[in-house]
Amino acid sequence: QVQLVESGGGLVQAGGSLRLSCTASGRNFRAYVMGWFRQTPGKEPEFVASMIGSSTDYSDSAEGRFTISRDNAKNMVYLQMNSLEPEDTAVYYCAASASIQAMVSSRPSFWGQGTQVTVSS
């Protein structure tokens, strides 16, 4: 079992930055694919970014603006979000998966409770 707790969400103006953090509990953290999703009301969760080892993957909307990173010694994963746009407003979820395929197909095994990000225009 992996438990995930996000932090760092909030209100920011368009063009600003936020850094989301996710603390993971459980064993073998470094073996998991870690990722971030976001969800707006009435829609399915949308893949944002993932990372395993030093390999990263991003959605088209995140590429070039967001950076995922992890600290395996601290069981932490981060999402640095720059040049934020009102369209980035969503609840952001940290996720963990044993496989890359499950992560990029929005079927990770473990989810956090989410943190709200609101970008004002």
mmCIF file of all heavy atoms in Angstrom, residues 32-86:
data_model
loop_
_atom_site.group_PDB
_atom_site.id
_atom_site.type_symbol
_atom_site.label_atom_id
_atom_site.label_comp_id
_atom_site.label_asym_id
_atom_site.label_seq_id
_atom_site.Cartn_x
_atom_site.Cartn_y
_atom_site.Cartn_z
ATOM 1 N N TYR A 32 8.209 2.752 -7.777
ATOM 2 C CA TYR A 32 6.927 3.178 -8.338
ATOM 3 C C TYR A 32 7.106 4.259 -9.392
ATOM 4 O O TYR A 32 7.965 5.150 -9.261
ATOM 5 C CB TYR A 32 6.011 3.713 -7.239
ATOM 6 C CG TYR A 32 5.379 2.634 -6.405
ATOM 7 C CD1 TYR A 32 5.978 2.216 -5.225
ATOM 8 C CD2 TYR A 32 4.188 2.037 -6.796
ATOM 9 C CE1 TYR A 32 5.395 1.219 -4.453
ATOM 10 C CE2 TYR A 32 3.602 1.046 -6.028
ATOM 11 C CZ TYR A 32 4.217 0.644 -4.863
ATOM 12 O OH TYR A 32 3.643 -0.344 -4.101
ATOM 13 N N VAL A 33 6.278 4.188 -10.397
ATOM 14 C CA VAL A 33 6.091 5.311 -11.304
ATOM 15 C C VAL A 33 5.241 6.331 -10.550
ATOM 16 O O VAL A 33 4.159 5.992 -10.046
ATOM 17 C CB VAL A 33 5.367 4.901 -12.591
ATOM 18 C CG1 VAL A 33 5.224 6.092 -13.526
ATOM 19 C CG2 VAL A 33 6.073 3.742 -13.276
ATOM 20 N N MET A 34 5.740 7.554 -10.439
ATOM 21 C CA MET A 34 4.999 8.609 -9.750
ATOM 22 C C MET A 34 4.476 9.591 -10.786
ATOM 23 O O MET A 34 5.159 9.896 -11.781
ATOM 24 C CB MET A 34 5.886 9.320 -8.738
ATOM 25 C CG MET A 34 6.381 8.412 -7.633
ATOM 26 S SD MET A 34 5.058 7.630 -6.694
ATOM 27 C CE MET A 34 4.215 9.077 -6.013
ATOM 28 N N GLY A 35 3.284 10.078 -10.549
ATOM 29 C CA GLY A 35 2.709 10.975 -11.536
ATOM 30 C C GLY A 35 1.770 11.989 -10.934
ATOM 31 O O GLY A 35 1.455 11.951 -9.741
ATOM 32 N N TRP A 36 1.355 12.894 -11.791
ATOM 33 C CA TRP A 36 0.372 13.918 -11.435
ATOM 34 C C TRP A 36 -0.747 13.906 -12.469
ATOM 35 O O TRP A 36 -0.500 13.781 -13.677
ATOM 36 C CB TRP A 36 1.018 15.304 -11.411
ATOM 37 C CG TRP A 36 1.972 15.506 -10.290
ATOM 38 C CD1 TRP A 36 3.323 15.295 -10.303
ATOM 39 C CD2 TRP A 36 1.656 15.951 -8.967
ATOM 40 N NE1 TRP A 36 3.866 15.582 -9.068
ATOM 41 C CE2 TRP A 36 2.863 15.998 -8.229
ATOM 42 C CE3 TRP A 36 0.479 16.326 -8.318
ATOM 43 C CZ2 TRP A 36 2.931 16.401 -6.890
ATOM 44 C CZ3 TRP A 36 0.538 16.732 -6.998
ATOM 45 C CH2 TRP A 36 1.750 16.768 -6.300
ATOM 46 N N PHE A 37 -1.957 14.047 -11.949
ATOM 47 C CA PHE A 37 -3.147 14.190 -12.769
ATOM 48 C C PHE A 37 -3.876 15.444 -12.320
ATOM 49 O O PHE A 37 -3.620 15.971 -11.249
ATOM 50 C CB PHE A 37 -4.082 12.986 -12.596
ATOM 51 C CG PHE A 37 -3.566 11.725 -13.207
ATOM 52 C CD1 PHE A 37 -2.599 10.962 -12.572
ATOM 53 C CD2 PHE A 37 -4.047 11.280 -14.429
ATOM 54 C CE1 PHE A 37 -2.113 9.790 -13.137
ATOM 55 C CE2 PHE A 37 -3.578 10.108 -15.004
ATOM 56 C CZ PHE A 37 -2.605 9.372 -14.349
ATOM 57 N N ARG A 38 -4.793 15.887 -13.147
ATOM 58 C CA ARG A 38 -5.660 16.980 -12.731
ATOM 59 C C ARG A 38 -7.075 16.703 -13.209
ATOM 60 O O ARG A 38 -7.273 15.999 -14.191
ATOM 61 C CB ARG A 38 -5.152 18.316 -13.256
ATOM 62 C CG ARG A 38 -5.176 18.471 -14.766
ATOM 63 C CD ARG A 38 -4.465 19.766 -15.164
ATOM 64 N NE ARG A 38 -4.555 20.040 -16.595
ATOM 65 C CZ ARG A 38 -3.921 21.039 -17.189
ATOM 66 N NH1 ARG A 38 -3.164 21.873 -16.486
ATOM 67 N NH2 ARG A 38 -4.064 21.224 -18.486
ATOM 68 N N GLN A 39 -8.016 17.291 -12.488
ATOM 69 C CA GLN A 39 -9.422 17.038 -12.793
ATOM 70 C C GLN A 39 -10.240 18.299 -12.577
ATOM 71 O O GLN A 39 -10.077 18.990 -11.563
ATOM 72 C CB GLN A 39 -9.952 15.901 -11.922
ATOM 73 C CG GLN A 39 -11.340 15.440 -12.304
ATOM 74 C CD GLN A 39 -11.791 14.245 -11.487
ATOM 75 O OE1 GLN A 39 -11.351 14.034 -10.368
ATOM 76 N NE2 GLN A 39 -12.664 13.425 -12.070
ATOM 77 N N THR A 40 -11.109 18.578 -13.534
ATOM 78 C CA THR A 40 -12.071 19.663 -13.405
ATOM 79 C C THR A 40 -13.464 19.052 -13.288
ATOM 80 O O THR A 40 -13.689 17.898 -13.684
ATOM 81 C CB THR A 40 -11.991 20.611 -14.611
ATOM 82 O OG1 THR A 40 -12.117 19.847 -15.824
ATOM 83 C CG2 THR A 40 -10.659 21.347 -14.628
ATOM 84 N N PRO A 41 -14.410 19.799 -12.741
ATOM 85 C CA PRO A 41 -15.747 19.247 -12.502
ATOM 86 C C PRO A 41 -16.381 18.657 -13.759
ATOM 87 O O PRO A 41 -16.358 19.262 -14.831
ATOM 88 C CB PRO A 41 -16.538 20.461 -12.009
ATOM 89 C CG PRO A 41 -15.506 21.318 -11.355
ATOM 90 C CD PRO A 41 -14.281 21.162 -12.208
ATOM 91 N N GLY A 42 -16.900 17.448 -13.628
ATOM 92 C CA GLY A 42 -17.597 16.793 -14.717
ATOM 93 C C GLY A 42 -16.709 16.101 -15.724
ATOM 94 O O GLY A 42 -17.197 15.536 -16.699
ATOM 95 N N LYS A 43 -15.409 16.141 -15.499
ATOM 96 C CA LYS A 43 -14.478 15.512 -16.438
ATOM 97 C C LYS A 43 -13.661 14.416 -15.764
ATOM 98 O O LYS A 43 -13.516 14.396 -14.547
ATOM 99 C CB LYS A 43 -13.547 16.560 -17.043
ATOM 100 C CG LYS A 43 -14.261 17.583 -17.921
ATOM 101 C CD LYS A 43 -13.269 18.462 -18.653
ATOM 102 C CE LYS A 43 -13.975 19.416 -19.602
ATOM 103 N NZ LYS A 43 -13.011 20.271 -20.342
ATOM 104 N N GLU A 44 -13.116 13.530 -16.579
ATOM 105 C CA GLU A 44 -12.242 12.483 -16.083
ATOM 106 C C GLU A 44 -10.880 13.084 -15.729
ATOM 107 O O GLU A 44 -10.490 14.125 -16.268
ATOM 108 C CB GLU A 44 -12.060 11.398 -17.144
ATOM 109 C CG GLU A 44 -13.325 10.626 -17.474
ATOM 110 C CD GLU A 44 -13.790 9.813 -16.286
ATOM 111 O OE1 GLU A 44 -12.927 9.178 -15.649
ATOM 112 O OE2 GLU A 44 -15.003 9.821 -15.984
ATOM 113 N N PRO A 45 -10.151 12.435 -14.821
ATOM 114 C CA PRO A 45 -8.802 12.907 -14.530
ATOM 115 C C PRO A 45 -7.948 12.932 -15.789
ATOM 116 O O PRO A 45 -8.031 12.020 -16.627
ATOM 117 C CB PRO A 45 -8.281 11.880 -13.523
ATOM 118 C CG PRO A 45 -9.512 11.335 -12.877
ATOM 119 C CD PRO A 45 -10.539 11.310 -13.968
ATOM 120 N N GLU A 46 -7.146 13.964 -15.898
ATOM 121 C CA GLU A 46 -6.268 14.160 -17.062
ATOM 122 C C GLU A 46 -4.820 13.960 -16.645
ATOM 123 O O GLU A 46 -4.355 14.574 -15.679
ATOM 124 C CB GLU A 46 -6.457 15.577 -17.604
ATOM 125 C CG GLU A 46 -5.496 15.964 -18.720
ATOM 126 C CD GLU A 46 -5.537 17.461 -19.025
ATOM 127 O OE1 GLU A 46 -6.219 18.213 -18.291
ATOM 128 O OE2 GLU A 46 -4.883 17.879 -19.992
ATOM 129 N N PHE A 47 -4.126 13.128 -17.373
ATOM 130 C CA PHE A 47 -2.699 12.913 -17.108
ATOM 131 C C PHE A 47 -1.929 14.208 -17.315
ATOM 132 O O PHE A 47 -2.144 14.916 -18.304
ATOM 133 C CB PHE A 47 -2.171 11.822 -18.032
ATOM 134 C CG PHE A 47 -0.688 11.659 -18.003
ATOM 135 C CD1 PHE A 47 -0.076 10.972 -16.962
ATOM 136 C CD2 PHE A 47 0.119 12.199 -18.992
ATOM 137 C CE1 PHE A 47 1.304 10.817 -16.922
ATOM 138 C CE2 PHE A 47 1.491 12.048 -18.957
ATOM 139 C CZ PHE A 47 2.087 11.359 -17.923
ATOM 140 N N VAL A 48 -1.001 14.495 -16.399
ATOM 141 C CA VAL A 48 -0.170 15.697 -16.507
ATOM 142 C C VAL A 48 1.296 15.326 -16.710
ATOM 143 O O VAL A 48 1.946 15.794 -17.648
ATOM 144 C CB VAL A 48 -0.313 16.588 -15.258
ATOM 145 C CG1 VAL A 48 0.642 17.779 -15.333
ATOM 146 C CG2 VAL A 48 -1.748 17.060 -15.089
ATOM 147 N N ALA A 49 1.825 14.493 -15.813
ATOM 148 C CA ALA A 49 3.242 14.157 -15.886
ATOM 149 C C ALA A 49 3.518 12.898 -15.080
ATOM 150 O O ALA A 49 2.768 12.563 -14.159
ATOM 151 C CB ALA A 49 4.100 15.303 -15.355
ATOM 152 N N SER A 50 4.587 12.210 -15.432
ATOM 153 C CA SER A 50 5.013 11.036 -14.669
ATOM 154 C C SER A 50 6.525 10.921 -14.688
ATOM 155 O O SER A 50 7.200 11.522 -15.541
ATOM 156 C CB SER A 50 4.376 9.761 -15.222
ATOM 157 O OG SER A 50 4.875 9.472 -16.509
ATOM 158 N N MET A 51 7.021 10.124 -13.752
ATOM 159 C CA MET A 51 8.473 9.966 -13.638
ATOM 160 C C MET A 51 8.802 8.616 -13.024
ATOM 161 O O MET A 51 8.207 8.217 -12.021
ATOM 162 C CB MET A 51 9.054 11.084 -12.786
ATOM 163 C CG MET A 51 10.569 11.085 -12.717
ATOM 164 S SD MET A 51 11.173 12.577 -11.893
ATOM 165 C CE MET A 51 12.922 12.461 -12.234
ATOM 166 N N ILE A 52 9.749 7.923 -13.620
ATOM 167 C CA ILE A 52 10.326 6.709 -13.058
ATOM 168 C C ILE A 52 11.816 6.760 -13.338
ATOM 169 O O ILE A 52 12.222 6.992 -14.497
ATOM 170 C CB ILE A 52 9.678 5.433 -13.634
ATOM 171 C CG1 ILE A 52 10.348 4.205 -13.024
ATOM 172 C CG2 ILE A 52 9.750 5.419 -15.143
ATOM 173 C CD1 ILE A 52 10.041 3.992 -11.565
ATOM 174 N N GLY A 53 12.631 6.582 -12.303
ATOM 175 C CA GLY A 53 14.056 6.790 -12.473
ATOM 176 C C GLY A 53 14.282 8.227 -12.901
ATOM 177 O O GLY A 53 13.781 9.163 -12.280
ATOM 178 N N SER A 54 15.006 8.406 -13.983
ATOM 179 C CA SER A 54 15.227 9.744 -14.522
ATOM 180 C C SER A 54 14.374 10.012 -15.756
ATOM 181 O O SER A 54 14.493 11.060 -16.388
ATOM 182 C CB SER A 54 16.705 9.932 -14.881
ATOM 183 O OG SER A 54 17.100 8.973 -15.840
ATOM 184 N N SER A 55 13.503 9.093 -16.078
ATOM 185 C CA SER A 55 12.660 9.214 -17.263
ATOM 186 C C SER A 55 11.358 9.926 -16.922
ATOM 187 O O SER A 55 10.677 9.569 -15.966
ATOM 188 C CB SER A 55 12.348 7.830 -17.827
ATOM 189 O OG SER A 55 11.494 7.922 -18.945
ATOM 190 N N THR A 56 11.023 10.935 -17.719
ATOM 191 C CA THR A 56 9.806 11.708 -17.487
ATOM 192 C C THR A 56 8.916 11.689 -18.722
ATOM 193 O O THR A 56 9.370 11.467 -19.846
ATOM 194 C CB THR A 56 10.128 13.167 -17.126
ATOM 195 O OG1 THR A 56 10.897 13.752 -18.202
ATOM 196 C CG2 THR A 56 10.928 13.250 -15.845
ATOM 197 N N ASP A 57 7.641 11.951 -18.466
ATOM 198 C CA ASP A 57 6.659 12.035 -19.548
ATOM 199 C C ASP A 57 5.683 13.146 -19.184
ATOM 200 O O ASP A 57 5.344 13.304 -18.010
ATOM 201 C CB ASP A 57 5.932 10.699 -19.695
ATOM 202 C CG ASP A 57 5.112 10.624 -20.972
ATOM 203 O OD1 ASP A 57 5.366 11.415 -21.906
ATOM 204 O OD2 ASP A 57 4.202 9.772 -21.039
ATOM 205 N N TYR A 58 5.281 13.907 -20.193
ATOM 206 C CA TYR A 58 4.395 15.040 -19.962
ATOM 207 C C TYR A 58 3.256 15.044 -20.964
ATOM 208 O O TYR A 58 3.409 14.590 -22.105
ATOM 209 C CB TYR A 58 5.151 16.362 -20.094
ATOM 210 C CG TYR A 58 6.217 16.589 -19.070
ATOM 211 C CD1 TYR A 58 7.543 16.241 -19.322
ATOM 212 C CD2 TYR A 58 5.914 17.145 -17.830
ATOM 213 C CE1 TYR A 58 8.532 16.437 -18.370
ATOM 214 C CE2 TYR A 58 6.890 17.359 -16.875
ATOM 215 C CZ TYR A 58 8.200 16.995 -17.156
ATOM 216 O OH TYR A 58 9.172 17.198 -16.205
ATOM 217 N N SER A 59 2.137 15.601 -20.529
ATOM 218 C CA SER A 59 1.069 15.866 -21.480
ATOM 219 C C SER A 59 1.491 17.029 -22.366
ATOM 220 O O SER A 59 2.413 17.792 -22.034
ATOM 221 C CB SER A 59 -0.225 16.224 -20.736
ATOM 222 O OG SER A 59 -0.074 17.466 -20.059
ATOM 223 N N ASP A 60 0.805 17.177 -23.482
ATOM 224 C CA ASP A 60 1.126 18.282 -24.390
ATOM 225 C C ASP A 60 0.949 19.629 -23.692
ATOM 226 O O ASP A 60 1.741 20.565 -23.908
ATOM 227 C CB ASP A 60 0.234 18.223 -25.634
ATOM 228 C CG ASP A 60 0.597 17.072 -26.549
ATOM 229 O OD1 ASP A 60 1.707 16.516 -26.402
ATOM 230 O OD2 ASP A 60 -0.229 16.725 -27.405
ATOM 231 N N SER A 61 -0.066 19.734 -22.847
ATOM 232 C CA SER A 61 -0.328 21.022 -22.192
ATOM 233 C C SER A 61 0.701 21.330 -21.112
ATOM 234 O O SER A 61 0.904 22.494 -20.758
ATOM 235 C CB SER A 61 -1.730 21.021 -21.581
ATOM 236 O OG SER A 61 -1.854 20.013 -20.604
ATOM 237 N N ALA A 62 1.340 20.315 -20.581
ATOM 238 C CA ALA A 62 2.335 20.512 -19.517
ATOM 239 C C ALA A 62 3.753 20.675 -20.061
ATOM 240 O O ALA A 62 4.597 21.298 -19.410
ATOM 241 C CB ALA A 62 2.296 19.355 -18.533
ATOM 242 N N GLU A 63 3.996 20.100 -21.211
ATOM 243 C CA GLU A 63 5.351 20.113 -21.784
ATOM 244 C C GLU A 63 5.869 21.538 -21.910
ATOM 245 O O GLU A 63 5.203 22.415 -22.455
ATOM 246 C CB GLU A 63 5.322 19.446 -23.160
ATOM 247 C CG GLU A 63 6.670 19.286 -23.807
ATOM 248 C CD GLU A 63 7.458 18.127 -23.225
ATOM 249 O OE1 GLU A 63 6.925 17.009 -23.194
ATOM 250 O OE2 GLU A 63 8.602 18.355 -22.792
ATOM 251 N N GLY A 64 7.055 21.771 -21.369
ATOM 252 C CA GLY A 64 7.690 23.078 -21.480
ATOM 253 C C GLY A 64 7.320 24.060 -20.379
ATOM 254 O O GLY A 64 7.991 25.077 -20.212
ATOM 255 N N ARG A 65 6.253 23.784 -19.642
ATOM 256 C CA ARG A 65 5.835 24.674 -18.556
ATOM 257 C C ARG A 65 5.940 24.015 -17.192
ATOM 258 O O ARG A 65 6.212 24.692 -16.192
ATOM 259 C CB ARG A 65 4.397 25.141 -18.773
ATOM 260 C CG ARG A 65 4.171 25.930 -20.040
ATOM 261 C CD ARG A 65 2.749 26.513 -20.074
ATOM 262 N NE ARG A 65 1.735 25.474 -19.998
ATOM 263 C CZ ARG A 65 0.727 25.475 -19.120
ATOM 264 N NH1 ARG A 65 0.602 26.469 -18.238
ATOM 265 N NH2 ARG A 65 -0.169 24.512 -19.140
ATOM 266 N N PHE A 66 5.687 22.718 -17.127
ATOM 267 C CA PHE A 66 5.700 21.985 -15.862
ATOM 268 C C PHE A 66 6.916 21.076 -15.819
ATOM 269 O O PHE A 66 7.366 20.561 -16.844
ATOM 270 C CB PHE A 66 4.447 21.128 -15.723
ATOM 271 C CG PHE A 66 3.146 21.882 -15.646
ATOM 272 C CD1 PHE A 66 3.096 23.278 -15.692
ATOM 273 C CD2 PHE A 66 1.953 21.196 -15.507
ATOM 274 C CE1 PHE A 66 1.897 23.959 -15.617
ATOM 275 C CE2 PHE A 66 0.742 21.857 -15.431
ATOM 276 C CZ PHE A 66 0.721 23.246 -15.490
ATOM 277 N N THR A 67 7.418 20.852 -14.599
ATOM 278 C CA THR A 67 8.531 19.937 -14.406
ATOM 279 C C THR A 67 8.240 19.026 -13.232
ATOM 280 O O THR A 67 7.974 19.503 -12.129
ATOM 281 C CB THR A 67 9.838 20.698 -14.152
ATOM 282 O OG1 THR A 67 10.108 21.589 -15.238
ATOM 283 C CG2 THR A 67 11.002 19.732 -13.993
ATOM 284 N N ILE A 68 8.293 17.732 -13.487
ATOM 285 C CA ILE A 68 8.133 16.759 -12.411
ATOM 286 C C ILE A 68 9.506 16.340 -11.910
ATOM 287 O O ILE A 68 10.453 16.222 -12.701
ATOM 288 C CB ILE A 68 7.316 15.529 -12.879
ATOM 289 C CG1 ILE A 68 7.003 14.612 -11.699
ATOM 290 C CG2 ILE A 68 8.025 14.791 -14.002
ATOM 291 C CD1 ILE A 68 6.026 13.488 -12.049
ATOM 292 N N SER A 69 9.616 16.160 -10.616
ATOM 293 C CA SER A 69 10.867 15.688 -10.028
ATOM 294 C C SER A 69 10.534 14.849 -8.801
ATOM 295 O O SER A 69 9.403 14.875 -8.315
ATOM 296 C CB SER A 69 11.789 16.856 -9.655
ATOM 297 O OG SER A 69 11.164 17.690 -8.690
ATOM 298 N N ARG A 70 11.509 14.102 -8.341
ATOM 299 C CA ARG A 70 11.280 13.265 -7.161
ATOM 300 C C ARG A 70 12.549 13.165 -6.347
ATOM 301 O O ARG A 70 13.663 13.277 -6.879
ATOM 302 C CB ARG A 70 10.773 11.872 -7.565
ATOM 303 C CG ARG A 70 11.726 11.074 -8.414
ATOM 304 C CD ARG A 70 11.028 9.841 -9.014
ATOM 305 N NE ARG A 70 10.672 8.856 -8.009
ATOM 306 C CZ ARG A 70 9.884 7.808 -8.247
ATOM 307 N NH1 ARG A 70 9.360 7.616 -9.451
ATOM 308 N NH2 ARG A 70 9.615 6.933 -7.280
ATOM 309 N N ASP A 71 12.374 12.951 -5.069
ATOM 310 C CA ASP A 71 13.476 12.734 -4.141
ATOM 311 C C ASP A 71 13.206 11.394 -3.472
ATOM 312 O O ASP A 71 12.405 11.309 -2.536
ATOM 313 C CB ASP A 71 13.547 13.870 -3.117
ATOM 314 C CG ASP A 71 14.746 13.763 -2.200
ATOM 315 O OD1 ASP A 71 15.279 12.646 -2.035
ATOM 316 O OD2 ASP A 71 15.144 14.796 -1.641
ATOM 317 N N ASN A 72 13.857 10.363 -3.959
ATOM 318 C CA ASN A 72 13.577 9.022 -3.443
ATOM 319 C C ASN A 72 14.009 8.857 -1.992
ATOM 320 O O ASN A 72 13.447 8.056 -1.256
ATOM 321 C CB ASN A 72 14.258 7.975 -4.314
ATOM 322 C CG ASN A 72 13.612 7.863 -5.682
ATOM 323 O OD1 ASN A 72 12.410 8.118 -5.849
ATOM 324 N ND2 ASN A 72 14.398 7.494 -6.683
ATOM 325 N N ALA A 73 14.995 9.612 -1.567
ATOM 326 C CA ALA A 73 15.453 9.522 -0.179
ATOM 327 C C ALA A 73 14.404 10.062 0.791
ATOM 328 O O ALA A 73 14.347 9.653 1.948
ATOM 329 C CB ALA A 73 16.760 10.280 -0.002
ATOM 330 N N LYS A 74 13.581 10.985 0.306
ATOM 331 C CA LYS A 74 12.552 11.601 1.146
ATOM 332 C C LYS A 74 11.145 11.105 0.823
ATOM 333 O O LYS A 74 10.177 11.575 1.420
ATOM 334 C CB LYS A 74 12.601 13.124 1.002
ATOM 335 C CG LYS A 74 13.898 13.748 1.481
ATOM 336 C CD LYS A 74 13.851 15.262 1.333
ATOM 337 C CE LYS A 74 15.131 15.905 1.845
ATOM 338 N NZ LYS A 74 15.109 17.384 1.687
ATOM 339 N N ASN A 75 11.029 10.209 -0.124
ATOM 340 C CA ASN A 75 9.711 9.734 -0.565
ATOM 341 C C ASN A 75 8.821 10.892 -1.009
ATOM 342 O O ASN A 75 7.640 10.977 -0.637
ATOM 343 C CB ASN A 75 9.004 8.933 0.531
ATOM 344 C CG ASN A 75 9.516 7.506 0.652
ATOM 345 O OD1 ASN A 75 10.609 7.187 0.160
ATOM 346 N ND2 ASN A 75 8.758 6.650 1.289
ATOM 347 N N MET A 76 9.391 11.780 -1.802
ATOM 348 C CA MET A 76 8.674 12.972 -2.231
ATOM 349 C C MET A 76 8.674 13.044 -3.755
ATOM 350 O O MET A 76 9.644 12.659 -4.420
ATOM 351 C CB MET A 76 9.335 14.234 -1.693
ATOM 352 C CG MET A 76 9.334 14.363 -0.185
ATOM 353 S SD MET A 76 7.714 14.797 0.482
ATOM 354 C CE MET A 76 7.493 16.447 -0.187
ATOM 355 N N VAL A 77 7.601 13.603 -4.283
ATOM 356 C CA VAL A 77 7.538 13.934 -5.698
ATOM 357 C C VAL A 77 6.968 15.342 -5.810
ATOM 358 O O VAL A 77 6.144 15.749 -4.989
ATOM 359 C CB VAL A 77 6.698 12.903 -6.491
ATOM 360 C CG1 VAL A 77 5.267 12.871 -6.012
ATOM 361 C CG2 VAL A 77 6.759 13.177 -7.980
ATOM 362 N N TYR A 78 7.433 16.080 -6.803
ATOM 363 C CA TYR A 78 7.081 17.480 -6.942
ATOM 364 C C TYR A 78 6.582 17.768 -8.357
ATOM 365 O O TYR A 78 6.916 17.068 -9.308
ATOM 366 C CB TYR A 78 8.300 18.363 -6.668
ATOM 367 C CG TYR A 78 8.993 18.071 -5.361
ATOM 368 C CD1 TYR A 78 10.109 17.233 -5.328
ATOM 369 C CD2 TYR A 78 8.535 18.619 -4.173
ATOM 370 C CE1 TYR A 78 10.749 16.951 -4.129
ATOM 371 C CE2 TYR A 78 9.171 18.349 -2.976
ATOM 372 C CZ TYR A 78 10.282 17.507 -2.954
ATOM 373 O OH TYR A 78 10.897 17.239 -1.762
ATOM 374 N N LEU A 79 5.806 18.830 -8.462
ATOM 375 C CA LEU A 79 5.410 19.332 -9.765
ATOM 376 C C LEU A 79 5.589 20.845 -9.748
ATOM 377 O O LEU A 79 4.837 21.553 -9.074
ATOM 378 C CB LEU A 79 3.969 18.978 -10.103
ATOM 379 C CG LEU A 79 3.523 19.369 -11.514
ATOM 380 C CD1 LEU A 79 4.253 18.515 -12.552
ATOM 381 C CD2 LEU A 79 2.013 19.227 -11.677
ATOM 382 N N GLN A 80 6.612 21.318 -10.443
ATOM 383 C CA GLN A 80 6.841 22.736 -10.589
ATOM 384 C C GLN A 80 6.048 23.225 -11.784
ATOM 385 O O GLN A 80 6.249 22.729 -12.903
ATOM 386 C CB GLN A 80 8.330 23.026 -10.793
ATOM 387 C CG GLN A 80 8.655 24.490 -11.026
ATOM 388 C CD GLN A 80 8.388 25.354 -9.811
ATOM 389 O OE1 GLN A 80 8.702 24.972 -8.682
ATOM 390 N NE2 GLN A 80 7.799 26.526 -10.013
ATOM 391 N N MET A 81 5.160 24.168 -11.555
ATOM 392 C CA MET A 81 4.281 24.673 -12.616
ATOM 393 C C MET A 81 4.575 26.146 -12.850
ATOM 394 O O MET A 81 4.423 26.957 -11.933
ATOM 395 C CB MET A 81 2.816 24.475 -12.229
ATOM 396 C CG MET A 81 2.474 23.033 -11.895
ATOM 397 S SD MET A 81 0.713 22.774 -11.609
ATOM 398 C CE MET A 81 0.477 23.732 -10.105
ATOM 399 N N ASN A 82 5.022 26.451 -14.054
ATOM 400 C CA ASN A 82 5.341 27.820 -14.438
ATOM 401 C C ASN A 82 4.404 28.295 -15.536
ATOM 402 O O ASN A 82 3.747 27.484 -16.190
ATOM 403 C CB ASN A 82 6.788 27.914 -14.912
ATOM 404 C CG ASN A 82 7.779 27.526 -13.837
ATOM 405 O OD1 ASN A 82 7.563 27.747 -12.654
ATOM 406 N ND2 ASN A 82 8.896 26.945 -14.252
ATOM 407 N N SER A 83 4.375 29.594 -15.732
ATOM 408 C CA SER A 83 3.549 30.196 -16.792
ATOM 409 C C SER A 83 2.120 29.668 -16.729
ATOM 410 O O SER A 83 1.534 29.271 -17.738
ATOM 411 C CB SER A 83 4.162 29.901 -18.176
ATOM 412 O OG SER A 83 5.475 30.404 -18.249
ATOM 413 N N LEU A 84 1.568 29.677 -15.540
ATOM 414 C CA LEU A 84 0.231 29.113 -15.343
ATOM 415 C C LEU A 84 -0.827 29.926 -16.076
ATOM 416 O O LEU A 84 -0.731 31.163 -16.188
ATOM 417 C CB LEU A 84 -0.088 29.029 -13.853
ATOM 418 C CG LEU A 84 0.602 27.869 -13.123
ATOM 419 C CD1 LEU A 84 0.600 28.098 -11.627
ATOM 420 C CD2 LEU A 84 -0.063 26.550 -13.476
ATOM 421 N N GLU A 85 -1.822 29.208 -16.545
ATOM 422 C CA GLU A 85 -2.924 29.797 -17.293
ATOM 423 C C GLU A 85 -4.240 29.452 -16.601
ATOM 424 O O GLU A 85 -4.307 28.456 -15.876
ATOM 425 C CB GLU A 85 -2.928 29.232 -18.719
ATOM 426 C CG GLU A 85 -1.625 29.430 -19.458
ATOM 427 C CD GLU A 85 -1.547 28.574 -20.731
ATOM 428 O OE1 GLU A 85 -2.417 27.699 -20.908
ATOM 429 O OE2 GLU A 85 -0.596 28.801 -21.519
ATOM 430 N N PRO A 86 -5.280 30.271 -16.809
ATOM 431 C CA PRO A 86 -6.574 29.930 -16.190
ATOM 432 C C PRO A 86 -7.039 28.514 -16.523
ATOM 433 O O PRO A 86 -7.693 27.868 -15.691
ATOM 434 C CB PRO A 86 -7.509 30.984 -16.783
ATOM 435 C CG PRO A 86 -6.626 32.167 -17.030
ATOM 436 C CD PRO A 86 -5.315 31.575 -17.492
#
